[in-house]
Amino acid sequence: MVASAQGGGEHWSSRTAFVLAAIGAAVGLGNIWRFPTLAGENGGGAFVLVYVLCVALIGMPMVLTEILLGRTGGGRADAVGSVAEVAERSGRSRRWSIFAGVEVLAAFLILSFYSVVAGWVLYYVWISGFDFLGALFSGSPFAPAFEHLTQDQVTGLMGALFGNPGQLLLQHAIFMAVTLAIVASGVHGGIERAAKWLMPAFFVLLVMLTVYGAFTGEFGHAVSFLFTPDFSKLSPVAINEALGQAFFSLSLGSAALVTYGSYVPGDVRLAPTAGMIATVDTGVAMLAGLMIFPIVFSAGLDPAAGPSLIFQSLPVAFQSMSAGALIGLAFFVLIFFAALTSSISLLEGPTAWAMARFGLGRKVTALLVACGAFLIGGACALGYNVWSDVRPLSFWPIFANADILDSIDGVTGKLMLPLAGFGLALFTGWRADRRLIEVESGLSPAMFLLWRSLVAWLAPVAVGLILLFGLFPSLLA
Ligand code: PHE
């Protein structure tokens, strides 16, 4: 690929390639691990309703904003360069790009712990893979999972993994290396190709497992849990959490969409694509809920089990289900695929930035970024065993009890993503040249007005509130 004078000069080969890559970035652990966890902890329906409102009114307009900033940047392949370019063409200070800089840093930090959690998924892929092979070779491919283990031993798998630093680091290293190999192969040969294979496979598995859950589990119970709002459960903290989750799940505030947007050819209409990304991402979160909760309820498990829901509760459920070994394997492979297309986008943003900033080639740059993220993630992994007493942000009340991983998750999710989104919404709503973005958006005049009002008014106000209450929850008391 020939590098243009301005940036990497790489492009998606088609609109479909872009859509798959962007949906791949959005759909990930956020949908399948974080969304059901939060919905479970916050009482289901009311949380889901607020989440959907946040996606529709703030998330979707911001997805368009970020992709649009990337493409309007005129082929600068990185988020910071793109925003600086739009600012300059609008006759504004290039310093607005500092918010894109926050996005790049956030992506780097998220990548570090995302790879650790994805490493847990990978570990469960291995063990359920061996479990299924065992069932297969003993002539019963449709056996329940972990037939030779007691229920305590199955729940104990997670604790054993967390207590084993070598194993955690190994899984983290393997996952990071796979991500690196794909990003190092470029936009075409790597990111696009991975998305074209992994996303369709992901959707097939998702539909199969949801249908299975619908027929074998307590589907009605799950539906009423997810979709019957009980407004007494709707605390301000839950609202705050829902908005933050919308950002995380849509990959907002973290350079991914601006960077992917910069590779979009000029003839692709952005608004329908943005709508599709937000719709599919939300649909997948709902399907993930409809896949997980029927199983949880039929096994009599607690929907509010928290982060251990998929690593502890579900394996127990698979243990008492016919074909549980196969279903368990399919389930963890599904999450692995989703996590991989997201981690690719998390590595791509910082890599594109560092390539433009330091003028090094893609492979070397991606390697350096991945090594840096591996080291920070390594500290997160050690935070579960050798450094389990470490509380890096103990001086900050809301993070006082957070271990290393939760601290980085908290600072990125509660502070950096909203801050970057807030800044870019203000910039796009008030400072960017109106004609420039109107043309680029491809929206009708009425829709443009609606979108711009949401970005100029609603997004900064709502996101400003998350920042405020996220950082100073005592204000809500
Ligand atoms: N959206 C991804 C998920 O839901 C995570 C992610 C965040 C990816 C930020 C890219 C950028 O898992």
Side-chain angles (χ1 to χ4, degrees):
M1 184 114 335
V2 187
S4 78
Q6 283 202 311
E10 293 186 84
H11 277 118
W12 305 113
S13 58
S14 63
R15 173 171 184 265
T16 314
F18 164 56
V19 168
L20 285 176
I23 290 178
V27 172
L29 296 171
N31 305 62
I32 301 167
W33 176 59
R34 222 165 173 255
F35 175 79
T37 302
L38 290 176
E41 284 174 344
N42 291 292
F47 176 86
V48 174
L49 183 72
V50 178
Y51 176 77
V52 170
L53 285 176
C54 290
V55 168
L57 296 175
I58 299 164
M60 194 168 334
M62 286 305 293
V63 170
L64 177 57
T65 302
E66 293 212 353
I67 301 174
L68 184 137
L69 288 174
R71 192 174 69 181
T72 317
R76 308 290 312 222
D78 72 295
V80 176
S82 298
V83 175
E85 180 87 15
V86 180
E88 193 162 307
R89 282 169 62 191
S90 305
R92 306 292 179 180
S93 163
R94 291 174 68 91
R95 291 222 189 91
W96 279 102
S97 64
I98 188 99
F99 291 106
V102 173
E103 298 209 338
V104 170
L105 183 60
F108 176 71
L109 293 173
I110 294 176
L111 173 64
S112 71
F113 73 81
Y114 203 86
S115 167
V116 175
V117 179
W120 308 341
V121 174
L122 197 53
Y123 178 77
Y124 277 81
V125 171
W126 300 134
I127 53 175
S128 30
F130 283 118
D131 182 50
F132 175 65
L133 282 181
L136 194 64
F137 288 129
S138 62
S140 43
F142 300 114
F146 307 117
E147 280 196 302
H148 307 296
L149 301 182
T150 64
Q151 180 167 330
D152 283 347
Q153 285 172 323
V154 172
T155 30
L157 289 170
M158 188 170 142
L161 171 65
F162 281 20
N164 184 341
Q167 184 66 260
L168 284 181
L169 289 176
L170 176 69
Q171 304 299 333
H172 169 45
I174 297 174
F175 187 82
M176 191 67 89
V178 175
T179 305
L180 169 63
I182 294 170
V183 170
S185 308
V187 175
H188 257 285
I191 304 177
E192 194 175 302
R193 192 133 53 110
K196 274 188 176 159
W197 285 99
L198 295 175
M199 291 319 289
F202 168 84
F203 281 106
V204 170
L205 285 172
L206 181 71
V207 171
M208 275 172 24
L209 288 177
T210 311
V211 170
Y212 179 88
F215 281 107
T216 56
E218 294 193 12
F219 195 67
H221 192 165
V223 170
S224 67
F225 177 72
L226 282 171
F227 301 115
T228 316
D230 170 359
F231 290 102
S232 69
K233 299 247 170 68
L234 206 55
S235 67
V237 173
I239 297 178
N240 185 343
E241 198 111 68
L243 193 49
Q245 170 62 11
F247 260 74
F248 185 90
S249 189
L250 294 170
S251 302
L252 288 169
S254 43
L257 293 180
V258 185
T259 309
Y260 278 15
S262 75
Y263 306 140
V264 178
D267 56 353
V268 172
R269 289 182 56 219
L270 297 182
T273 315
M276 184 153 153
I277 295 168
T279 310
V280 172
D281 185 69
T282 308
V284 171
M286 300 303 149
L287 276 185
L290 290 177
M291 168 176 87
I292 290 171
F293 288 114
I295 300 176
V296 168
F297 289 129
S298 69
L301 302 167
D302 177 11
S308 64
L309 192 65
I310 67 169
F311 296 111
Q312 250 172 352
S313 309
L314 283 184
V316 169
F318 296 143
Q319 206 181 12
S320 58
M321 272 164 43
S322 57
L326 178 60
I327 297 295
L329 176 61
F331 178 77
F332 287 109
V333 168
L334 164 107
I335 309 178
F336 172 67
F337 285 175
L340 187 57
T341 50
S342 294
S343 67
I344 291 170
S345 74
L346 285 164
L347 178 56
E348 176 65 12
T351 299
W353 171 79
M355 279 164 70
R357 177 81 178 71
F358 303 111
L360 293 170
R362 169 176 283 274
K363 290 193 166 58
V364 181
T365 312
L367 176 67
L368 293 174
V369 175
C371 285
F374 174 76
L375 290 179
I376 300 178
C380 295
L382 296 182
Y384 286 97
N385 34 71
V386 280
W387 289 336
S388 60
D389 301 333
V390 177
R391 296 288 174 271
L393 301 176
S394 53
F395 56 88
W396 193 340
I398 51 168
F399 300 126
N401 292 322
D403 57 27
I404 304 177
L405 191 148
D406 287 345
S407 299
I408 301 182
D409 182 14
V411 168
T412 49
K414 288 213 170 85
L415 176 60
M416 298 177 78
L417 303 190
L419 180 69
F422 178 77
L424 291 185
L426 283 182
F427 170 67
T428 310
W430 300 96
R431 284 289 174 257
D433 182 82
R434 199 194 139 120
R435 267 159 314 160
L436 185 66
I437 56 172
E438 180 158 12
V439 171
E440 197 73 50
S441 73
L443 290 166
S444 66
M447 287 304 285
F448 178 75
L449 196 68
L450 174 66
W451 169 66
R452 195 144 181 253
S453 326
L454 291 173
V455 170
W457 292 99
L458 187 70
V461 171
V463 171
L465 290 176
I466 324 181
L467 267 179
L468 196 64
F469 295 130
L471 300 178
F472 307 105
S474 51
L475 291 175
L476 292 173

